[in-house]
Amino acid sequence: MAYSSLAQQSANSEAFALWLQPLMRQFNQLPEVKALQAKAGQAQLLIQAADKAIYNPELGINYQNATEDTYSLDISQTIDWGDKRGVAMRKAQLEAEVLLSQTTLMRSQMLADVVMALVEQAQQNKILEFQQQQLDVAKQQFEIAKQQLASGAISQAELQLIQLDLASRAAEYALVEQAAINADAKVLMLFGTTTLPFNDFIEVLNVEVAAEVSPELPALKSAYQQVMMAKLAAKQVKADTSANPTISLSAEREGEENKLGVGLSIPIQIRNNYSETLAMASNDIAIAEQRYLASERVITEQQKLFYLSLPRLQQRYQEWRELVLTSGAGVADALGQQWQAGDISTSNYLQSKRQLASSYLAGMSLESALYQSWLDWMGQSGQLENYFLQQLAQQANDQSVRANVTSTNGNSINAASINQIR
């Protein structure tokens, strides 16, 4: 890896972390996110509540007034023969995992919406700045056109074309200004402020960062855990309907005689063996499995669309950068000079300006589509927050790597260190 490439990657990583770190802090302060954090905190309470005994002992005291007074004391304890407590514990643990999975997915989806709002704000500000420049140039050209009309260089009809173009630019600027205000309002509603740190990260938008579809994918993990929940529910039904015996100890005093007794009672499931209840629980497993397969199919199709669309958008965007941002640099000034010199007609000049503006706005639309495609998949699949946290960790790691590749004189790179980076 060349030093220039390493330095560029480091610069990109630093710029990415500079806005990402404060963004994550503010994201975690949102009321909606705090509500999700509180909901995730319930997971531990679920486990603690389940880790309790199912049956409490029962104490009975009796007195009988007869020829010889009789006193008795009974203690009985039902035994959890069907392991209700164990099933309840496993169910609570799984419910906690489901809760955490759902929270992870919702946080990722909310984060995608937040970042997309910042992207839209940045894009609208770019377009607003561009339209402001176009409006300023149109005003200048109108003043020049009036001078050229006075000198006889252009006709009254050409002046009117320039004036119409100025009016069109003013209207377009007003519409773009409203769009920028709406984008600011959306960010304001989310964070309470419109001035948030943000830096374009279009260079990191690629399909390689996305995980493959599996039960561990956050978007599928909850559905997969629902299948496990259905299986546990069947075990719980079996445990709840099991015949749990009760052991009792009794002490009795009748007159001058003391008596001790031991008892055992076992329910006899003759009138109801709960077979239908067990069958319904087994059927719920099949339903949960089919729902998981349906969710997996939807997520797989969404991933295929993502893998198909994003690379094509990247290719078109790269082509646009090469054709417009590089080849088109300075064309607008050259056109203006040619028009003032009389080398091209007013109508051709205005048409060329329109083409240049249209090309730039098309590129802005491509940028927005790239962000939208990437954020939609990363958010809906539940991977976005984890990816951002990995980037922050990688940035901290890169700082230590750069310290290792810097030579003692501060001007050259240690070859051995570079070989390790490659």
Side-chain angles (χ1 to χ4, degrees):
M1 178 183 293
Y3 174 67
S4 59
S5 176
L6 176 63
Q8 181 63 39
Q9 288 184 359
S10 299
N12 291 339
S13 177
E14 288 180 355
F16 191 74
L18 281 176
W19 70 267
L20 184 56
Q21 192 167 13
L23 173 65
M24 292 303 297
R25 283 200 300 266
Q26 295 193 53
F27 173 74
N28 286 323
Q29 295 303 313
L30 293 177
E32 300 88 343
V33 177
K34 284 190 173 182
L36 289 177
Q37 291 173 342
K39 187 177 180 181
Q42 294 177 344
Q44 188 62 34
L45 294 177
L46 287 173
I47 298 175
Q48 292 176 359
D51 191 21
K52 300 294 182 181
I54 300 297
Y55 300 106
N56 287 311
E58 295 183 8
L59 177 65
I61 300 176
N62 296 302
Y63 166 74
Q64 184 177 1
N65 185 8
T67 304
E68 293 184 346
D69 292 344
T70 302
Y71 304 89
S72 64
L73 176 65
D74 301 315
I75 298 177
S76 62
Q77 174 68 61
T78 300
I79 301 174
D80 184 13
W81 196 263
D83 195 22
K84 290 182 181 180
R85 179 180 179 181
V87 173
M89 185 66 177
R90 291 192 292 273
K91 184 180 178 182
Q93 290 173 339
L94 192 52
E95 286 177 345
E97 291 178 9
V98 170
L99 191 59
L100 292 174
S101 297
Q102 292 174 342
T103 301
T104 299
L105 180 59
M106 292 177 67
R107 282 176 61 94
S108 184
Q109 293 171 345
M110 290 175 62
L111 185 58
D113 292 339
V114 165
V115 175
M116 194 62 211
L118 294 177
V119 168
E120 291 174 355
Q121 183 188 43
Q123 294 296 96
Q124 289 299 328
N125 287 336
K126 286 181 185 178
I127 296 174
L128 183 64
E129 182 181 358
F130 174 77
Q131 294 291 9
Q132 178 67 67
Q133 294 172 354
Q134 295 294 300
L135 181 60
D136 293 342
V137 170
K139 290 178 179 179
Q140 295 172 3
Q141 296 300 329
F142 181 63
E143 295 298 324
I144 294 173
K146 289 192 290 186
Q147 297 174 6
Q148 288 183 327
L149 177 66
S151 64
I154 63 173
S155 64
Q156 181 66 35
E158 289 177 302
L159 176 63
Q160 290 176 341
L161 286 176
I162 295 291
Q163 188 173 5
L164 289 173
D165 180 69
L166 174 58
S168 177
R169 294 295 182 185
E172 289 174 355
Y173 178 80
L175 293 175
V176 171
E177 188 177 37
Q178 289 301 311
I181 291 173
N182 291 336
D184 287 343
K186 190 173 182 179
V187 174
L188 181 64
M189 291 178 63
L190 287 170
F191 292 100
T193 179
T194 59
T195 56
L196 282 172
F198 178 77
N199 186 61
D200 287 338
F201 60 102
I202 200 166
E203 299 298 332
V204 305
L205 306 183
N206 55 70
V207 297
E208 285 78 11
V209 301
E212 294 296 328
V213 173
S214 72
E216 291 301 315
L217 193 68
L220 283 177
K221 192 170 185 178
S222 178
Y224 181 76
Q225 288 168 334
Q226 294 295 339
V227 177
M228 305 304 296
M229 284 284 292
K231 293 180 179 179
L232 265 181
K235 292 182 179 180
Q236 186 174 32
V237 169
K238 188 175 181 180
D240 290 341
T241 58
S242 64
N244 295 314
T246 300
I247 298 177
S248 62
L249 298 175
S250 63
E252 183 178 329
R253 181 177 179 84
E254 184 177 354
E256 297 298 326
E257 185 179 1
N258 294 326
K259 300 178 181 180
L260 293 176
V262 178
L264 174 66
S265 63
I266 302 176
I268 302 176
Q269 297 178 344
I270 297 176
R271 301 182 64 188
N272 186 1
N273 61 4
Y274 304 99
S275 58
E276 292 81 5
T277 305
L278 290 170
M280 289 176 60
S282 298
N283 190 51
D284 287 340
I285 298 176
I287 294 174
E289 288 175 344
Q290 292 304 314
R291 286 177 177 171
Y292 170 77
L293 293 175
S295 299
E296 185 181 46
R297 183 174 65 253
V298 171
I299 292 296
T300 301
E301 292 302 319
Q302 289 177 344
Q303 187 195 51
K304 288 180 181 178
L305 179 61
F306 171 71
Y307 281 170
L308 182 64
S309 62
L310 190 69
R312 295 187 180 185
L313 284 172
Q314 287 178 312
Q315 182 180 358
R316 300 296 176 265
Y317 178 72
Q318 188 61 35
E319 292 173 353
W320 172 81
R321 287 177 61 91
E322 294 174 356
L323 293 174
V324 177
L325 291 188
T326 56
S327 301
V331 173
D333 292 338
L335 284 172
Q337 294 173 2
Q338 288 180 340
W339 172 72
Q340 293 181 44
D343 294 336
I344 58 174
S345 65
T346 300
S347 60
N348 288 338
Y349 168 63
L350 294 177
Q351 183 179 4
S352 298
K353 282 179 59 182
R354 284 286 175 184
Q355 288 178 339
L356 288 174
S358 177
S359 298
Y360 177 80
L361 295 177
M364 292 296 98
S365 297
L366 276 175
E367 281 191 6
S368 296
L370 268 171
Y371 279 114
Q372 189 73 63
S373 176
W374 190 81
L375 286 171
D376 278 351
W377 169 249
M378 295 295 288
Q380 293 302 318
S381 61
Q383 305 176 72
L384 186 61
E385 184 176 15
N386 185 54
Y387 173 75
F388 279 171
L389 295 177
Q390 288 177 350
Q391 292 302 304
L392 290 175
Q394 182 63 40
Q395 196 271 339
N397 183 61
D398 287 345
Q399 290 181 347
S400 101
V401 171
R402 287 197 303 275
N404 292 333
V405 299
T406 304
S407 65
T408 53
N409 60 13
N411 296 321
S412 62
I413 301 297
N414 185 288
S417 298
I418 290 182
N419 289 331
Q420 294 176 356
I421 297 174
R422 285 175 177 169

